[in-house]
Amino acid sequence: MGRYSKQSLEIQVQQLAQAAGVPAADAVIFASSLVDADLHGVSTHGVSRLSIYLRRIQERLIDPAAPLTVDRERGSVLALNAGNGLGQVQARKALDRLIPLARQNGVAAATIRNSQHFGALSWYCNAAAEQGLVLLAMTNCEPAMSPAGGYEPFFGTNPIAASFPTRRGFPVKIDLATSIVARGNIIAAQKKNQPIPEGWALDPEGEPTTDPQAALLGTVLTMAGHKGYALAMMVELFSGVLSGSAVGSNVGSMYKHLDRAQNVGHFFCLFDITALLEYDEYLERMDETIHRIKSSRKRNGVEEILVPGERSARVAAQNLAQGIPLSPDTLSELEQWCRRLKVEFNCHEVAACTIS
Amino acid sequence: MGRYSKQSLEIQVQQLAQAAGVPAADAVIFASSLVDADLHGVSTHGVSRLSIYLRRIQERLIDPAAPLTVDRERGSVLALNAGNGLGQVQARKALDRLIPLARQNGVAAATIRNSQHFGALSWYCNAAAEQGLVLLAMTNCEPAMSPAGGYEPFFGTNPIAASFPTRRGFPVKIDLATSIVARGNIIAAQKKNQPIPEGWALDPEGEPTTDPQAALLGTVLTMAGHKGYALAMMVELFSGVLSGSAVGSNVGSMYKHLDRAQNVGHFFCLFDITALLEYDEYLERMDETIHRIKSSRKRNGVEEILVPGERSARVAAQNLAQGIPLSPDTLSELEQWCRRLKVEFNCHEVAACTIS
């Protein structure tokens, strides 16, 4: 796998997005989101998705220049309509609109309907943390999980996330899907012809399976049984029902449905820390909390206790220094899109590397 | 186990709380919370806790008449100080303060420090739902779980909850501890001399155990491994760090520490649905969502798919009609406290019953 500089990847993605009809400033936002996911080692939400976004733009399933409009507005709350634009662009603009409201009132919230798969939640949460704010973010997604007792995919993997600023050079980042495992892990097992562990998925008849193929045709299980079901429901109600977007199995699939928009819904709630306590005091309290967690007693064989977000911050630092790894498949897709959209292919390896 | 009318239990708890120094109006709030937990089948957060609250009041570890004061205020956000008063009373008053702010600005949030164990989160969330509002609630608690890789209790079972109004006579209620299992289940296994399943807990040396005694001296595991750790951390940061309360293992234990206050922290965020969409449209969307979930395909052997909160609503309806079951232990504690505080004992069985 080759490694590529953050800047060169961002420029390449920007150019392709622009060539597909995304306005220049929006293409910068979009590229930043995709490359940031790869930077943090979340390649499933990174440049590997560019191809399907471009395809959906070309098929007119995404409007690359849609305005973000306000359906309803009261005090610190906005009900927004993404107009079927790029999720990353619209949600980032929504965050920008919430920031002055949160600074003024201490808290601000928005729902966003008519959107798409919008990448990793932590990109938005970390952006808020950089401004000294805490963003709680949720989104519904294309159906993958069933309610407890069922076997029909209804919920997406419905993630929930929040990032908290620290003075340690990285935010404490909570970002988790409510599924027991990412679908990507099942796809990986399928590619390697390996069975998946019991308890991950049901086959299309609702029976437990260890066959990745059957699992992909069936449903992924929620994390922690009924608790994951309850959390997935909460995410669906905040992001789907309250936003006015599609709900549950009505959300379109990014890859399977090339005849209709996804109509994903997002939910943001933004908090200004300084409405609650002095920022320095907050940072001190965070630092002490992190210190106490990291210095607590370790189980046999455990070298270090990490706080959520610490590992991915290390991956990002390494990738920033050494270049971001990109799979040969993703690279070849980039090349093809460059030819198709008449954009110069400019991704040159920083260094060759082996990723375990 | 005998069953008792909701009203008679409420009056009994009110009288005892008042006799212990809780102002009359506050005693009504307090009693309502405890009895509501029993009504919904959550006896661990119900009248069985009255004894320890009264004891802590008598030991001057809880101030039964503490005012709820404002540390800081901006727009829709309040940083509140419970003054070491009863958590149920102070948090319910906090909710009452948030309601007009949420109606005005669409969203409002509060932290509450210097509080106690404050019962079941869903009591607050359901109260909000009755007013057409959605309350997202979190709290830290006395230490029970360690960070991933550790074995020193740091986090409480740190629950998160939210209730959504419906037109079905009960709210969709999400209310879950981030532990794999409630400590109560381990205590129950201990009483029955039964082993606990693997994966529930670590012994005091950090090794996996199936011995309930060792588990109670050690740590309960988080639900869903690292995901539960991340969620417990999020709850701790919102309710502990941001509130200015004790954080993690500094939170006092209700039963073990009879020499100091608990200093628990809570976090509330309240949303006015009508800031986002018309209330009728919301109810329609909720109803359709519930209908689709309940009518989705069921796994073999599953008779009915329930939405979160549906089971506990049925328990509550049954208990309201037939009387609320109270264990002989709890009843005998009530009797003792009546003698001690010179309050007439007035709990008479509605009917005898067998609870499986």
Side-chain angles (χ1 to χ4, degrees), chain B residues 5 10-11 19 23 29 36 44 46 58 118 122 142 154 168 224 226 228 264 283 295 317 325:
Chain B
S5 81
E10 282 176 345
I11 291 172
I29 300 175
D36 186 75
T44 50
Q58 290 203 322
F118 75 152
S122 48
E142 56 183 277
F154 183 85
R168 296 195 174 220
H226 281 78
V264 167
L283 287 176
S295 57

Side-chain angles (χ1 to χ4, degrees), chain A residues 306-337:
Chain A
L306 298 175
V307 293
E310 193 166 13
R311 192 188 306 274
S312 95
R314 288 184 191 169
V315 169
Q318 191 191 12
N319 288 343
L320 196 62
Q322 302 179 3
I324 297 172
L326 224 57
S327 79
D329 283 358
T330 301
L331 196 75
S332 123
E333 281 173 0
L334 271 181
E335 270 185 297
Q336 286 166 33
W337 278 104

